[in-house]
């Protein structure tokens, strides 16, 4: 293990911060800071204070180097420490730090970015609505979809069909549209007019069908749901091209084309939530490009700025935008930070780098296949039941026995054991139950991929020995 521990000298953090000890930071944190997705009783005074980052590595307050196999929260696509982005932000903040885009106003970076987004998205898209996050993008998308049907003269078409175990954010609309049981249990009532169908999770199925037959069978639930609720009440279907937070659930190839066929047949809108899959993650600009489907709307966030500043949005097709504009008048919706000039300036620079450094095609043709190949070799480990990956987004399933759908009795213990050991030994990966997921920065090098996979193997050994104790 010592071999894989890298201790880097502590570097100074920004001068306006007081130079506190690690334990000071931790106790102040625990006193005043309510964290997202955290059980504070477990956290106590143990928060991991990340103080610096460069390339694919983050460094904690003591200088320990950790390979970020998650790109932060699936967002730092071009890696850390890109001064082009911080300089773009600084110069825009000096020029025009803020102005709103309500009431017939705009600013140059937001217009420029809209133009760039038009170029990298499919032909049907001609407009973008800006938000500050993925969750706001989801709320906005729901309002656009429902507005579309209102102006089209179908005010009853309100229901949106999504999938179980999907993640679409943490606002009330995001939680409601998502299919996470643990989230549904808290803070209800949820938004009405949302229905959920099964996810295309072949590994967890009874495996009585081939993956392709399974994909079509799960997709057919959309049709059943439309018939059950009545097509006159259905507005749209929404899905992540690959479910991220749910455990990197890669649908069989048959799934998305069948979803498209059903949406077209019944004339309902199709939405891909590209918050994770967009901006090169799957080796194409967007997940819809990878699965070769043509959505009417796409929500995005995260990778649009590589997470350097908050920004999200909804790409709107000509069909939808022209209806809302021509038939609808004012769309009564917007955020203070819609089209924030500094975020848009960072996004422009981020897209330029993705493009000029060929990071999207590199993900598809070079580093993606390189990692996929190494990732597959983890299937040789006795506790790995399956590995899967598209582009640079993958998962592996931890199981007690190979070639059996059986899971560990104590669900999530194996995943947590892996995850905790990994982060203490210089590697961030996320555990979703007993599914380990990874999504490293698109700039990761071959040597860094080797390190990621070598460390993952050691974590598997450790997990196996803990689980047999
Ligand atoms: N949609 C998807 C697919 C996501 O993965 C996420 C965040 N992980 C969101 C929406 C919500 O984004 P945010 O956290 O920026 O609100």
């Amino acid at each position: 293990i010592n071999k894989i521990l890298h201790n880097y000298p502590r570097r100074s953090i920004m001068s306006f911060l007081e130079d506190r000890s690690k334990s000071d930071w931790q106790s102040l944190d625990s006193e005043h800071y309510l964290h997202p997705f955290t059980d504070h009783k477990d956290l106590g005074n143990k928060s991991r204070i990340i103080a610096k980052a460069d390339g694919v590595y983050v460094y904690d307050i003591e200088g320990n180097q950790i390979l970020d196999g998650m790109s932060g929260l699936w967002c730092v696509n071009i890696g850390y420490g890109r001064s082009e982005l911080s300089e773009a932000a600084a110069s825009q903040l000096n020029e025009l730090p803020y102005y709103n885009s309500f009431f017939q106003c705009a600013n140059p970076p937001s217009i420029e970015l809209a133009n760039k987004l038009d170029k990298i998205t499919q032909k049907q898209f001609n407009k973008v609505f800006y938000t500050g996050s993925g969750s706001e993008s989801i709320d906005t998308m729901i309002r656009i979809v429902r507005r579309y049907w209102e102006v089209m003269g179908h005010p009853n078409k309100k229901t949106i069909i999504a999938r179980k175990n999907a993640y679409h954010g943490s606002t009330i609309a995001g939680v409601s549209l998502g299919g996470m049981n643990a989230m549904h249990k808290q803070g209800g009532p949820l938004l009405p007019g949302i229905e959920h169908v099964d996810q295309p999770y072949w590994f967890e199925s009874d495996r009585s069908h081939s993956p392709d037959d399974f994909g079509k069978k799960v997709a057919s639930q959309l049709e059943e749901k439309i018939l059950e609720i009545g097509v006159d009440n259905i507005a749209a279907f929404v899905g992540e091209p690959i479910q991220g937070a749910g455990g990197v659930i890669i649908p069989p190839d048959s799934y998305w084309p069948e979803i498209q066929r059903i949406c077209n047949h019944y004339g309902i809108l199709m939405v891909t939530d590209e918050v994770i899959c967009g901006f090169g993650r799957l080796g194409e600009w967007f997940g819809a490009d990878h699965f070769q489907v043509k959505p009417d709307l796409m929500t995005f966030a995260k990778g649009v700025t590589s997470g350097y500043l908050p920004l999200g949005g909804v790409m709107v097709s000509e069909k939808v935008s022209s209806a809302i504009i021509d038939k609808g008048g004012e769309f009564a919706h917007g955020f203070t930070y819609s089209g924030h000039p500094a975020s848009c300036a960072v996004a422009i620079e981020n897209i330029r780098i993705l493009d000029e450094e060929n990071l999207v095609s590199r993900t598809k043709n070079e580093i993606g296949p390189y990692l996929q190949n190494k990732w597959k070799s983890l299937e040789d480990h006795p506790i790995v039941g399956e590995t899967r990956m598209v582009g640079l987004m993958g998962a592996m399933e931890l199981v007690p026995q190979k070639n059996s759908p059986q899971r560990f009795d104590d669900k999530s213990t194996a995943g947590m054991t892996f995850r905790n050991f990994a982060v203490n030994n210089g590697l961030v990966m996320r555990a979703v139950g007993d599914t380990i997921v990874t999504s490293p920065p698109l700039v990761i090098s071959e040597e860094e991929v080797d390190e990621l996979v070598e460390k993952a193997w050691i974590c598997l050994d450790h997990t196996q020995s803990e689980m047999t104790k």
Side-chain angles (χ1 to χ4, degrees), residues 1 21 36 112 141 148 264 343 362 366 404 416 418 455:
I1 298 305
S21 68
E112 186 72 51
M141 176 276 292
Y148 170 77
N264 291 352
S343 299
R362 175 179 186 266
E366 294 160 38
S404 149
M416 286 312 266
F418 181 108
K455 285 182 170 173

Side-chain angles (χ1 to χ4, degrees), residues 73-74 132-136 138 167-170 240 244-245 273-276 299 301-302 430:
L73 272 178
W74 325 79
S133 68
S135 300
E136 286 176 14
I138 288 292
Y167 188 82
H168 295 298
S170 275
E240 302 155 78
D273 180 353
E274 304 273 356
V275 168
I276 289 178
T299 47
K302 295 190 191 273
R430 187 150 149 187

Side-chain angles (χ1 to χ4, degrees), residues 185-201:
K185 282 189 194 138
Q186 297 181 8
L190 301 177
L191 197 69
I194 289 172
E195 297 282 334
H196 292 93
V197 292
D198 281 344
Q199 54 178 338
Y201 194 178

